[in-house]
Amino acid sequence: MQTWFSCKVKYQKVDEHGKQVRANETYLVEAINFTEAETRIFEIMEEYGNSDIMVAGITKTNFSEIVNYEDGQYWYKAKVTWEDFDESSGKSSKVTNYMLVAANNVKECFERAEENLENMMVPVDIPSIALSPILDVFPLFGEEEEEQIPANLKPISDFETPKTETAVDEDDSAESDMEE
């Protein structure tokens, strides 16, 4: 299960007029706990050349899914709802999840969220979409690349011996000999 933390960061930066201004920005960081989220945001900001930063706040978010498109300029928070039916009690309940979607406008966000949810077996509603203050998202691990198996290694399946039915047949024949 992914755990996402919203990190509010304050730091000094030079604006387009050459003046030093205090920047307040929000980033989304995947981490195991609050301490790791704080450590990761410090490391990430240092990579971008912002070494003098202050973490103003870290909060755990309720995003069930992050839908990232490289061409998305903004991050939108989409509320997704559907009906869940409990067969044992015979009652239905409304389930609500939130998605963070990268898009250029609300319409594109709606289309991307629908595209991502088209495999759901129940009808899904998207009652609200709002522009998020999040500037960027940093997953715990980058895009996972398929690892190539080195030539000197072989799969375990090459060494496993298939089970034969002869062992079972021998047990059956021993039982039939006892019966006679």
Side-chain angles (χ1 to χ4, degrees):
M1 167 108 183
Q2 296 176 325
T3 306
W4 294 94
F5 293 89
S6 175
C7 300
K8 293 183 181 182
V9 177
K10 294 181 180 184
Y11 63 95
Q12 294 283 332
K13 74 175 187 178
V14 178
D15 67 359
E16 60 271 359
H17 303 293
K19 292 173 43 180
Q20 283 250 333
V21 293
R22 190 107 174 122
N24 296 323
E25 297 176 346
T26 304
Y27 297 96
L28 194 67
V29 177
E30 183 182 9
I32 296 170
N33 54 33
F34 286 90
T35 305
E36 184 185 14
E38 183 178 19
T39 303
R40 290 200 63 224
I41 197 65
F42 272 110
E43 291 170 354
I44 290 165
M45 296 306 287
E46 283 179 3
E47 286 178 21
Y48 289 112
N50 302 327
S51 59
D52 186 28
I53 68 164
M54 182 182 93
V55 177
I58 299 175
T59 56
K60 193 173 182 179
T61 62
N62 58 352
F63 295 118
S64 61
E65 193 165 353
I66 309 295
V67 181
N68 189 4
Y69 285 86
E70 292 298 320
D71 65 340
Q73 184 177 0
Y74 304 106
W75 288 98
Y76 291 90
K77 183 177 183 176
K79 181 179 180 180
V80 179
T81 61
W82 66 86
E83 291 287 324
D84 185 31
F85 183 73
D86 185 11
E87 292 179 16
S88 62
S89 67
K91 295 181 181 179
S92 67
S93 62
K94 189 176 187 179
V95 177
T96 301
N97 277 334
Y98 294 93
M99 298 171 63
L100 191 67
V101 183
N104 294 317
N105 54 48
V106 174
K107 181 181 177 189
E108 189 175 61
C109 173
F110 182 80
E111 291 168 353
R112 289 178 175 180
E114 268 192 333
E115 176 186 327
N116 195 25
L117 295 167
E118 65 187 14
N119 293 331
M120 293 279 291
M121 300 300 282
V122 295
V124 177
D125 291 326
I126 303 174
S128 71
I129 295 176
L131 184 62
S132 169
I134 294 170
L135 294 180
D136 208 352
V137 174
F138 299 101
L140 193 55
F141 301 106
E143 295 294 320
E144 293 189 26
E145 299 173 9
E146 214 173 288
E147 290 185 34
Q148 295 292 329
I149 298 175
N152 63 336
L153 299 178
K154 293 182 182 178
I156 293 177
S157 60
D158 290 353
F159 296 103
E160 291 179 344
T161 56
K163 292 184 178 179
T164 60
E165 293 185 26
T166 57
V168 174
D169 291 340
E170 290 173 4
D171 290 339
D172 289 341
S173 64
E175 287 177 10
S176 62
D177 288 342
M178 287 184 191
E179 291 175 0
E180 294 178 358

